[in-house]
Amino acid sequence: MAFALGAFTFPSSITCKATSISSSSHDLDAAYIKRAANLADSSAGFTAPHPNFGCVITSTNKGRERVVVLGEGYLYGEGTMPAELQAVEAAGELCRGATAYLNMEPSDCTADHTSVSAIVQAGITRVVIGIRHPLQHLRGNAVRALRSEGLLVDVLGEDLQSKTFEEALKSCLVVNAPLLYRAASRVPFSVLKYAMTLDGKIAASSGHASWISSKMSRSRVFELRGRSDAVIVGGNTVRRDNPHLTARHGGGHLPRRIVMSKTLNLPEVANLWDDTEVPTMVATQRGARRSFQKFLASKGVEVVEFDILNPKDIMDYFYDRGYLSILWECGGTLAASAISSGVIHKVHAFVAPKIIGGKNAPSPVGELGMVEMTQALELIDVQYEQIGPDMLVSGFLQPVPDLTPNIPSMDETSAIDPSVSAYESNIIFFFKTWDPHGAFSNFSLHPIQMPDENGDYYTWPSVEHYYQANKFVGVNKPVAKKILVDIKNAKSPEEAARLGRKIQRKRPDLVRSDWESSKIDVMYRALKCKFSTYPNLTSMLLSTAGSVLVEASPHDLFWGGGRDGEGLNYLGRLLMQLRSEFLADSLSNKDDATSREENDVTTST
């Protein structure tokens, strides 16, 4: 028997023979942590901005004769069922006395401690964790919670230290490298990808470059794109190659396409201006070709201006937008600028067994200002893989951060300096569901019961599912009804949002005519249902009394606060309105209780 998770299917159990008690114990721990990391990698690209989580539950290995995998799971996407809960449900009653292996400490971004509760209530007695959570406000919380419930918790590198665990620990670091780099460097994890001939050319002297690498290598590039939040190219690439920059392997995650151009000297006809399937953003210098900016906006292309356009500033911007991973597919000039700025963390070089020659033929990396070979940048943890006739050489320019000894938890920081707090007391920002107040987000996984298009109460997986579906309610067209069903069945809030926004952009005739005037009320009703349903969320909201709530999206100027505070912040406004209503109800209930007590006293006297 096997059970399916998302589009993947795994065997429901395996058996392993143990050799000796001491060595086999560590070997098995290392093997199952690596298995959890491999599971976590199954949905890379879909989980952003969350980490990749995997969980494996095994028997306690009584008698040291065999170990059986009872259940496994991985986080499919933002807002979907936690890996731990999937594994517990798969294992059922067999969890009692079992061991759970997690590649990373659970984050419980939903503020209801689902992952920890699932493990504790299932009767699991031991938890082995690959790495602690790298974010300060989450790091160590789940470990403490599990230990407080009497579970034995072993963390690699802390409680379990031996060479046996080196590869397992490395697997856990690599599978969540984007989050680790983001936490350490405060920029998204950036990968530079290029294909070159054996003599180091990315095109002929004429500029012709189709194709240097093989079809198999190009398929691997599609996979790399599918693991990224965005793909960046420069203006030269748009003019010369007119790329699509899609993940054309069918299905999967579709990253946003980014063009960096200081002057906007770009063609009016380009594949990237077609945002039917994938959105495009152009980053440019402030004031560049206003008329062309209007042209791009008419095509649905987002234009973002920077005072000075450079790789560091644009990575800072994408950090604020919550991006985890960026793939750079640019030419040599922009690649050199990105490397010099220190934003490139990893390199994938596809080397084809071809020689093109040419004195003026471009190379993958432009001028870096180095004059001696001793100045050359050396890759770390270099890997070689033959892909068809090509050789893929990959490695890190900067080591994967192990944040365990470097980033203390908020509790530990406060013990050292009591003046340190997790956020500014007067303004509380929230955006992604991993933020300290991320449960305020309409993308948090808190199902709500609200009427569907037929007026029947339906359990929506999230506020965002309900909000996106309501764009098409009441439209008497078969395709609109199908879209409603598709949004209902979307596996995550992100998928629901992508689908709703795409159809709204592509088929505005399917959007209800009163949407602009009714969308605030739709969001308000959904938020009120959410916060009324979950007492822990009500308490969290009430705890912010006296503070301004700001949805910190830098690009959503309606629901969010915008990049420079220019946004309308309607999501924050609605939450503050709800907070006022809940506080008024609380005071009213207290007054009623006091009045009853006084009446009771009067009656008794």
Side-chain angles (χ1 to χ4, degrees):
M1 179 179 291
F3 58 93
L5 300 173
F8 301 83
T9 302
F10 300 97
S12 58
S13 64
I14 63 169
T15 58
C16 303
K17 287 289 183 72
T19 52
S20 65
I21 293 178
S22 57
S23 63
S24 66
S25 175
H26 281 185
D27 289 343
L28 289 171
D29 285 343
Y32 287 119
I33 281 291
K34 288 184 68 174
R35 181 166 179 150
N38 290 337
L39 277 173
D41 195 52
S42 300
S43 58
F46 284 97
T47 57
H50 291 292
N52 297 312
F53 283 112
C55 175
V56 178
I57 298 176
T58 72
S59 67
T60 53
N61 192 21
K62 293 179 180 179
R64 302 291 179 181
E65 295 178 357
R66 67 189 184 100
V67 173
V68 178
V69 173
L70 306 173
E72 345 180 271
Y74 66 90
L75 181 68
Y76 169 77
E78 178 182 2
T80 58
M81 184 184 292
E84 299 83 0
L85 185 55
Q86 293 180 44
V88 164
E89 289 189 353
E93 291 297 321
L94 297 176
C95 284
R96 300 206 170 276
T99 298
Y101 294 90
L102 315 176
N103 63 296
M104 179 182 281
E105 177 184 17
S107 61
D108 283 327
C109 293
T110 55
D112 57 5
H113 310 296
T114 304
S115 300
V116 170
S117 298
I119 292 171
V120 173
Q121 293 173 9
I124 290 170
T125 55
R126 179 176 180 242
V127 179
V128 182
I129 294 175
I131 58 175
R132 288 182 182 247
H133 204 290
L135 300 185
Q136 287 188 3
H137 64 283
L138 298 173
R139 179 177 175 267
N141 293 349
V143 171
R144 285 191 294 273
L146 290 168
R147 285 174 174 165
S148 69
E149 294 289 342
L151 279 73
L152 173 62
V153 180
D154 291 324
V155 182
L156 265 60
E158 300 177 28
D159 309 290
L160 299 175
Q161 298 185 21
S162 76
K163 287 191 174 182
T164 306
F165 296 110
E166 288 181 359
E167 283 300 313
L169 179 58
K170 177 182 172 182
S171 298
C172 295
L173 294 172
V174 170
V175 75
N176 276 306
L179 180 62
L180 292 165
Y181 277 107
R182 177 186 164 89
S185 309
R186 298 187 67 82
V187 293
F189 176 59
S190 287
V191 177
L192 173 63
K193 185 281 305 178
Y194 56 82
M196 69 178 189
T197 60
L198 201 57
D199 56 337
K201 309 296 184 182
I202 60 172
S205 297
S206 63
H208 187 265
S210 301
W211 295 100
I212 291 176
S213 59
S214 65
K215 187 174 181 179
M216 293 177 66
S217 291
R218 296 198 296 276
S219 294
R220 176 62 65 86
V221 172
F222 298 152
E223 293 178 14
L224 291 175
R225 290 175 185 168
R227 302 171 72 90
S228 307
D229 294 322
V231 180
I232 290 182
V233 296
N236 284 335
T237 300
V238 177
R239 290 187 291 269
R240 184 185 67 234
D241 298 339
N242 190 23
H244 289 84
L245 299 182
T246 54
R248 288 171 292 200
H249 45 57
H253 172 64
L254 299 175
R256 183 178 294 267
R257 303 171 299 186
I258 312 296
V259 178
M260 288 182 63
S261 174
K262 290 182 178 180
T263 62
L264 285 187
N265 180 23
L266 301 170
E268 289 193 2
V269 178
N271 292 320
L272 294 181
W273 308 156
D274 179 6
D275 66 346
T276 303
E277 297 297 330
V278 189
T280 299
M281 190 196 94
V282 173
T284 188
Q285 206 128 297
R286 196 171 301 280
R289 292 189 68 189
R290 294 291 188 188
S291 60
F292 194 72
Q293 289 192 35
K294 292 181 180 178
F295 165 76
L296 291 175
S298 70
K299 293 285 188 178
V301 176
E302 180 185 2
V303 179
V304 179
E305 292 183 299
F306 292 81
D307 292 331
I308 299 177
L309 185 65
N310 59 64
K312 182 62 171 69
D313 284 351
I314 199 170
M315 286 300 97
D316 288 342
Y317 175 74
F318 286 137
Y319 174 87
D320 290 338
R321 284 186 76 146
Y323 287 9
L324 280 183
S325 184
I326 308 290
L327 183 64
W328 295 71
E329 295 195 48
C330 51
T333 302
L334 184 52
S337 178
I339 291 173
S340 298
S341 299
V343 300
I344 299 297
H345 303 109
K346 191 175 185 180
V347 176
H348 285 289
F350 294 85
V351 183
K354 302 175 181 178
I355 295 176
I356 189 67
K359 179 180 178 181
N360 298 318
S363 63
V365 180
E367 180 59 52
L368 291 174
M370 299 178 183
V371 295
E372 295 182 1
M373 193 55 66
T374 53
Q375 296 176 291
L377 302 174
E378 295 188 24
L379 298 184
I380 304 168
D381 192 22
V382 181
Q383 304 290 323
Y384 304 91
E385 180 184 356
Q386 185 163 352
I387 303 178
D390 307 325
M391 182 64 70
L392 171 58
V393 182
S394 60
F396 292 88
L397 279 174
Q398 303 174 33
V400 180
D402 180 357
L403 302 181
T404 300
N406 299 324
I407 297 185
S409 69
M410 190 54 62
D411 289 346
E412 292 165 339
T413 303
S414 298
I416 299 170
D417 182 359
S419 67
V420 176
S421 61
Y423 51 83
E424 176 63 37
S425 58
N426 294 322
I427 301 178
I428 294 177
F429 294 96
F430 66 95
F431 179 28
K432 296 297 185 180
T433 55
W434 63 4
D435 293 332
H437 290 83
F440 290 173
S441 168
N442 43 306
F443 283 76
S444 71
L445 187 62
H446 290 93
I448 58 173
Q449 282 202 328
M450 296 287 286
D452 62 9
E453 68 276 15
N454 301 316
D456 300 324
Y457 274 83
Y458 176 81
T459 301
W460 301 86
S462 71
V463 168
E464 186 65 13
H465 281 80
Y466 177 78
Y467 174 80
Q468 292 296 336
N470 265 268
K471 293 178 179 178
F472 312 100
V473 167
V475 180
N476 192 24
K477 293 182 180 180
V479 64
K481 297 182 185 300
K482 181 181 182 303
I483 292 165
L484 271 168
V485 174
D486 291 343
I487 292 176
K488 277 184 173 181
N489 296 329
K491 295 180 180 178
S492 70
E494 285 286 353
E495 285 193 12
R498 281 195 293 266
L499 180 58
R501 292 167 184 167
K502 173 184 170 183
I503 299 301
Q504 184 180 14
R505 185 174 64 246
K506 186 178 177 181
R507 293 288 306 275
D509 59 300
L510 298 178
V511 179
R512 53 194 274 192
S513 59
D514 66 340
W515 178 243
E516 288 304 314
S517 61
S518 62
K519 62 183 182 182
I520 292 178
D521 183 61
V522 169
M523 182 67 80
Y524 168 77
R525 287 187 281 110
L527 289 172
K528 187 169 185 177
C529 178
K530 167 181 166 179
F531 282 87
S532 299
T533 303
Y534 300 94
N536 60 308
L537 295 188
T538 307
S539 299
M540 178 184 285
L541 184 61
L542 293 177
S543 71
T544 67
S547 297
V548 177
L549 303 180
V550 178
E551 205 271 2
S553 169
H555 61 92
D556 189 335
L557 301 185
F558 185 82
W559 294 112
R563 184 179 174 191
D564 298 309
E566 74 278 24
L568 297 174
N569 187 38
Y570 269 106
L571 189 61
R573 293 185 190 189
L574 291 180
L575 290 175
M576 288 186 284
Q577 178 182 335
L578 282 173
R579 184 178 64 192
S580 296
E581 294 173 4
F582 288 150
L583 283 171
D585 290 343
S586 177
L587 290 174
S588 177
N589 292 335
K590 286 182 179 179
D591 289 342
D592 290 343
T594 301
S595 177
R596 285 194 299 271
E597 289 177 2
E598 290 175 349
N599 290 335
D600 291 342
V601 171
T602 302
T603 302
S604 63
T605 58

